[in-house]
Amino acid sequence: MPRMLELERCIQRYTRANPNSARQLDRAAKVMPGGNTRSVLFYEPFPLVMTAGSGCFLDDLDGHRYVDFLAEYTAALYGHSHPIITQALTEAIANGVNLSAHTELEARLAALLVERFGCIEQVRFTNSGTEANLLALAAAKAYTGRSGIIVFNGGYHGGVLSFAGAGTAMNVPHRVYLADYNDVDSVERLLHEHVDIAAILVEPMLGAGGCICAAPGFLEGLRERSQAHGTLLIFDEVMTSRLAPGGLQEKLGVTPDLITLGKYLGGGMPCGALGGRREIMAQFDPRHGGLSHAGTFNNNVLTMAAGIAGLEQVYTRDEALKLNARGDRLREQLNEVLVPLPMHFTGQGSVMNLHPTASPIRRPSDSPTDRNDLRDLFFFHLLECGIYSARRGLFALSLPLTEHDLNRLVTAIQAFVERYGALATEA
Ligand SMILES: Cc1ncc(COP(=O)(O)O)c(C=O)c1O
């Protein structure tokens, strides 16, 4: 098939252009399985190895510079080493890390989250989004005295809470029931069949599942059904909280009982948070012998200081609105360029995902998997144009990107359409 041939040629050029990255993977593979310690970063024939980042640029081991359109899978919202974040970190380091105690910083960051996100009355911090979701599920089970959890096919809530297809052997053993995204009836059925559902855990836009938006009425339906069945509604906004000043819960006007956060909220440092209604969060109050939630680094001063600086001084409400309006305009522009091809972007605001079809996507199974070669060709073509994204098609905007940088992406995609248009329409 000519498209496969073209992809092979593209990969050969990639291999020739990146000998140092290839060698580094071989070296790393001697001491780490497959040279990898973060599964999502691996791709064949070998992934690029980066040496530095600055603003919205990344430099690799073979001397190439890329415009970064991946932004650490959305966590690098501030770009690389934003001066205000860097200053906050420098001051925190100078002041002493690992203080073995409460500091004033965690309460300051918590207050910023309470002010920002309408559904949050109280907060607990973790070191990752995964941990935040584990904590949310534990809180919901303890609060309701029930043990079942409803999640969605294609939902991703962390490395041990991943629900694509049949799930993974890494998943924690919760009693989980799978519903279909954008299908309230599938949830209603589960709620009727099982009386012990503690929580519905849902991303208000499927992120890793392909930036699939919630259809009108879907989240409202979940809110209504969860209330009717005494079940808690948890929004996983680890990825989506950046999409509006108060997260998607604010933009879409649906208020969950609990919300989980992470990614950029620690200013690029490891971070996670669980927030929500006071009476649910009160279960963790140590003054009343509550649930014990330990974690050496839960209140680490680097995450707290960088998070505060980011929310107070950089990603203000105005900036959140502006960045996401830019993202919406860009996605529309890219989709216009892609009109001749069976490809389009879904998403909202500053986060989007490419799908190798022109048909609408309501759930992950709507995205064809038999055209992955087309998506791969797109990925390697963009690398040749100096644009870094995720092979699975995820793109995320960071604040330092200029109009010129966005135009580079548009031009690179125009070149893709011209160069590979005929191949792209192959079956
Ligand atoms: C929606 C969602 N939830 C949870 C996580 C897990 O966060 P972390 O990688 O910080 O554990 C992610 C990470 O991509 C995510 O996108």
Side-chain angles (χ1 to χ4, degrees), residues 35-373:
N36 176 276
T37 187
R38 183 177 168 199
S39 302
V40 74
L41 297 182
F42 184 80
Y43 51 84
E44 296 284 3
F46 55 86
L48 288 181
V49 177
M50 296 299 172
T51 55
S54 150
C56 63
F57 297 105
L58 287 171
D59 298 322
D60 78 6
L61 206 49
D62 287 278
H64 310 117
R65 172 160 277 209
Y66 298 90
V67 186
D68 182 6
F69 273 96
L70 183 49
E72 195 61 288
Y73 291 79
T74 74
L77 172 81
Y78 299 110
H80 305 288
S81 306
H82 188 290
I84 291 177
I85 306 280
T86 304
Q87 190 189 341
L89 286 170
T90 310
E91 284 170 13
I93 291 170
N95 194 52
V97 296
N98 304 129
L99 306 183
S100 323
H102 287 242
T103 75
E104 290 169 324
L105 295 177
E106 59 258 28
R108 276 181 64 194
L109 184 55
L112 286 166
L113 299 187
V114 169
E115 189 204 320
R116 228 5 132 89
F117 299 98
C119 61
I120 300 187
E121 290 178 326
Q122 294 208 309
V123 179
R124 278 191 86 88
F125 291 108
T126 63
N127 291 282
S128 68
T130 306
E131 273 182 71
N133 282 315
L134 290 170
L135 195 64
L137 296 183
K141 285 164 87 167
Y143 186 75
T144 57
R146 302 177 181 180
S147 62
I149 310 287
I150 293 180
V151 294
F152 293 86
N153 215 329
Y156 181 78
H157 307 285
V160 296
L161 291 164
S162 174
F163 302 105
T168 112
M170 296 293 290
N171 275 358
V172 285
H174 280 296
R175 183 132 53 79
V176 158
Y177 302 100
L178 267 188
D180 284 322
Y181 202 71
N182 282 330
D183 182 351
V184 180
D185 291 344
S186 70
V187 175
E188 179 72 34
R189 274 196 297 278
L190 288 172
L191 286 169
H192 273 290
E193 281 164 24
H194 308 279
V195 288
D196 72 331
I197 304 294
I200 301 171
L201 174 61
V202 64
E203 296 163 83
M205 171 183 86
L206 279 185
C211 295
I212 300 174
C213 296
F218 173 58
L219 297 172
E220 291 83 345
L222 297 185
R223 179 67 285 181
E224 198 189 296
R225 304 302 195 285
S226 58
Q227 259 156 0
H229 290 264
T231 295
L232 297 187
L233 181 62
I234 307 170
F235 276 6
D236 177 345
E237 291 232 40
V238 169
M239 190 180 274
T240 58
S241 77
R242 55 149 51 206
L243 298 180
L248 275 191
Q249 59 102 36
E250 176 188 72
K251 184 174 169 196
L252 303 177
V254 182
T255 306
D257 301 295
L258 292 171
I259 183 172
T260 54
L261 304 168
K263 303 276 190 194
Y264 75 97
L265 276 168
M269 301 296 106
C271 147
L274 167 67
R277 274 166 45 201
R278 188 178 297 276
E279 64 268 29
I280 307 171
M281 298 303 292
Q283 296 180 107
F284 294 104
D285 188 336
R287 296 170 302 182
H288 308 301
L291 294 172
S292 168
H293 162 228
T296 303
F297 297 110
N298 284 355
N299 66 336
N300 82 80
V301 297
L302 297 183
T303 300
M304 299 299 130
I308 292 166
L311 284 185
E312 271 183 352
Q313 299 177 56
V314 189
Y315 204 51
T316 56
R317 288 188 149 266
D318 272 0
E319 286 305 319
L321 290 171
K322 273 194 224 153
L323 183 73
N324 288 300
R326 288 180 87 195
D328 282 332
R329 280 197 301 275
L330 178 69
R331 196 181 61 258
E332 280 162 24
Q333 208 179 348
L334 298 181
N335 281 340
E336 271 167 34
V337 174
L338 285 171
V339 160
L341 308 193
M343 300 173 98
H344 80 293
F345 282 94
T346 59
Q348 282 192 64
S350 60
V351 183
M352 58 194 90
N353 208 100
L354 181 81
H355 295 272
T357 175
S359 308
I361 308 276
R362 280 175 61 88
R363 55 184 62 98
S365 56
D366 292 337
S367 191
T369 47
D370 57 352
R371 295 215 198 113
N372 281 349
D373 54 342

Side-chain angles (χ1 to χ4, degrees), residues 348-411:
Q348 282 192 64
S350 60
V351 183
M352 58 194 90
N353 208 100
L354 181 81
H355 295 272
T357 175
S359 308
I361 308 276
R362 280 175 61 88
R363 55 184 62 98
S365 56
D366 292 337
S367 191
T369 47
D370 57 352
R371 295 215 198 113
N372 281 349
D373 54 342
L374 183 56
R375 204 197 49 194
D376 291 350
L377 193 59
F378 189 83
F379 169 74
F380 285 108
H381 166 80
L382 289 188
L383 285 182
E384 285 186 339
C385 298
I387 285 170
Y388 190 68
S389 62
R391 190 165 180 167
R392 72 173 194 232
L394 176 70
F395 289 69
L397 302 191
S398 65
L399 291 166
L401 285 164
T402 62
E403 284 306 306
H404 175 72
D405 301 317
L406 301 190
N407 283 335
R408 275 190 64 180
L409 177 60
V410 177
T411 308

